Amino acid sequence: MWKGRFSQATADLVQQYGQSISYDWRLYPHDIAGSIAHARAQLKAGLLTDREFAQIETGLFEIKEEIASGAFEFSIEYEDIHMNIEAALTKKIGATGAKLHTARSRNDQVATDTRLYCRTAVDDLDGLVRDLQRALLDRAQKYATTVLPGYTHLQRGQPVTVGHHLLAYVEMLERDKDRLQDARRRLNICPLGSGALAGSTINLDREAIARELGFDGVTQNSMDAISDRDYVAELLFAFSLVGSHLSRLSEDLILWASSEFGFLNLSDAHTTGSSLMPQKKNPDVCELTRGKSGRLYGNLTAILTAIKGLPLTYNRDLQEDKEPLFDSIDTLTLALRVNAEMIAAMEINEMACLKAASDPLLLATDLADWLVKQGIPFRSAHELVGKAVAAAVNSGTPLDQLDLTEVDPAFTANASSVFDLQTALAARTNSGAPSIENVRAQITRWQKQL
Ligand code: ARG
């Protein structure tokens, strides 16, 4: 493609080192859509005849079919997807193919293709996040009233319900979708027409190209347009945060599925056995998901590092944006799909949850609140209940069976009325708190929204 200036062929090792066709081939539908829009603008500008445009369009459609069917032969001699397609077109239709690259550079071409690819990926991932939310919502509804302990520091804190716990993840994933949509809005701007870095002396209708490709507008600075990879970094950050939410969910499920907790049964289809220990049923999907968050963070770090010291404008370092991007999209796609499937099939052991939630210490805060309602300042109430807890622990008596009036006369016989889980939950009526009524209202809200 640049033989004019050179008297030696590119060394084999340089070709191996610089090729991106082994991974950027997947940009092909976007590359072809971009080329057709570009050719149409050339036609309008009088640079192509109707016949030439038709030849280019038909040739590109054929190439698309060949790639889709696996018949296309990629060559590392042509480095990347852009040159592979252009070379194939010229081979197919002759000299007309060689006109296509007028007023275009691979720099604005790859920026356009990557933005289009990202846009499709965001739309696909948005749907997959929604599917996972739906699976969580389905389980939240089934176990809306199942009481279990809520934890801080992994120590039993206060009673919540499984529904409330699972809906926490639905909230996180909603913010993730919002972040993806926000990134989509910023990336959906067309860089084509920016050329290598300074536009072109041949002016094509950039707005028309952008419209044809479904962009919301055109970039306003050619140098920025071809060297900008903010959208890749932004997406990799948004993906990383999805990864961190999935990883936290995985950790909860791993704990719940352990014999120590015993709250959760994952289906046989979504667990694995041990080749040595016959009794094992391992939550590998959760562990892999927790582990893969590391890849997602690594890919974000890779792109941030690759772009940090680059002078304007295009530098070949930018080719390093694609593998992390593709890897994160692939990783997240499968993670979301398998988790949605696994969660839809999981069963909660309600008896084990209730047993754990029946620990009266979970209602120690409610007991302090009871004292507050009798007019005792919270700090004093906290201390009095602390004494009662110490007495219970030291005497080996459950807190709800202790004679509280012996601990302090501020407690009356009526105080033990707090030790009722249903009453305790029902009292938590503030927005966002886990009363059954609130949880049901949230479930209804999500059902409408999702
Ligand atoms: N394969 C290249 C990339 O992904 C395309 C742009 C090449 N541009 C250049 N000036 N060498 O970045």
Side-chain angles (χ1 to χ4, degrees), residues 20 24 80 82 106-107 110 314 316 319 322:
S20 54
D24 70 10
D80 56 26
H82 325 292
R106 275 187 299 155
N107 296 352
V110 72
Y314 183 85
R316 193 63 181 276
Q319 184 169 292
K322 281 171 217 64

Side-chain angles (χ1 to χ4, degrees), residues 58-177:
T58 312
L60 287 171
F61 277 140
E62 281 172 22
I63 291 169
K64 191 171 163 186
E65 285 304 307
E66 287 162 24
I67 297 178
S69 74
F72 191 89
E73 275 192 35
F74 294 111
S75 152
I76 76 158
E77 200 187 315
Y78 294 120
E79 243 182 56
D80 56 26
I81 186 63
H82 325 292
M83 294 208 288
N84 267 271
I85 290 177
E86 194 191 326
L89 181 69
T90 305
K91 196 168 154 207
K92 215 181 249 299
I93 66 171
T96 307
K99 291 188 172 182
L100 178 62
H101 213 53
T102 312
R104 183 175 76 174
S105 153
R106 275 187 299 155
N107 296 352
D108 57 348
Q109 193 178 358
V110 72
T112 305
D113 294 5
T114 310
R115 282 174 187 254
L116 289 171
Y117 183 87
C118 286
R119 189 177 74 192
T120 308
V122 165
D123 293 343
D124 293 346
L125 288 167
D126 182 271
L128 294 176
V129 174
R130 190 177 301 263
D131 290 346
L132 177 58
Q133 284 180 301
R134 287 193 180 127
L136 286 162
L137 178 60
D138 173 73
R139 296 293 88 179
Q141 188 183 15
K142 178 159 186 195
Y143 302 110
T145 59
T146 309
V147 192
L148 88 170
Y151 296 79
T152 61
H153 311 268
L154 203 54
Q155 307 285 321
R156 286 179 185 165
Q158 296 181 337
V160 294
T161 70
V162 173
H164 195 60
H165 194 128
L166 295 179
L167 288 183
Y169 287 102
V170 177
E171 294 280 347
M172 295 176 220
L173 294 169
E174 190 64 20
R175 292 195 295 277
D176 289 330
K177 284 195 312 196

Side-chain angles (χ1 to χ4, degrees), residues 95-268:
T96 307
K99 291 188 172 182
L100 178 62
H101 213 53
T102 312
R104 183 175 76 174
S105 153
R106 275 187 299 155
N107 296 352
D108 57 348
Q109 193 178 358
V110 72
T112 305
D113 294 5
T114 310
R115 282 174 187 254
L116 289 171
Y117 183 87
C118 286
R119 189 177 74 192
T120 308
V122 165
D123 293 343
D124 293 346
L125 288 167
D126 182 271
L128 294 176
V129 174
R130 190 177 301 263
D131 290 346
L132 177 58
Q133 284 180 301
R134 287 193 180 127
L136 286 162
L137 178 60
D138 173 73
R139 296 293 88 179
Q141 188 183 15
K142 178 159 186 195
Y143 302 110
T145 59
T146 309
V147 192
L148 88 170
Y151 296 79
T152 61
H153 311 268
L154 203 54
Q155 307 285 321
R156 286 179 185 165
Q158 296 181 337
V160 294
T161 70
V162 173
H164 195 60
H165 194 128
L166 295 179
L167 288 183
Y169 287 102
V170 177
E171 294 280 347
M172 295 176 220
L173 294 169
E174 190 64 20
R175 292 195 295 277
D176 289 330
K177 284 195 312 196
D178 198 45
R179 259 183 290 273
L180 289 175
Q181 287 310 321
D182 197 39
R184 186 194 197 281
R185 182 174 60 76
R186 256 186 301 281
L187 71 81
N188 198 31
I189 308 290
C190 188
L192 208 62
S194 303
L197 79 156
S200 171
T201 58
I202 299 166
N203 294 312
L204 300 180
D205 185 348
R206 292 193 65 206
E207 279 74 17
I209 294 175
R211 267 196 307 279
E212 175 165 345
L213 295 172
F215 283 113
D216 295 326
V218 299
T219 53
Q220 296 300 318
N221 182 300
S222 61
M223 297 177 79
D224 175 46
I226 60 102
S227 58
D228 171 24
R229 293 295 181 276
D230 291 4
Y231 55 97
V232 177
E234 246 187 293
L235 280 185
L236 289 177
F237 170 71
F239 298 162
S240 293
L241 219 43
V242 181
S244 97
H245 293 149
L246 295 184
S247 183
R248 297 186 72 173
L249 172 61
S250 300
E251 178 63 15
D252 274 345
L253 300 183
I254 290 166
L255 288 171
W256 287 6
S258 69
S259 309
E260 282 67 18
F261 280 76
F263 296 171
L264 176 69
N265 288 321
L266 293 167
S267 81
D268 284 1

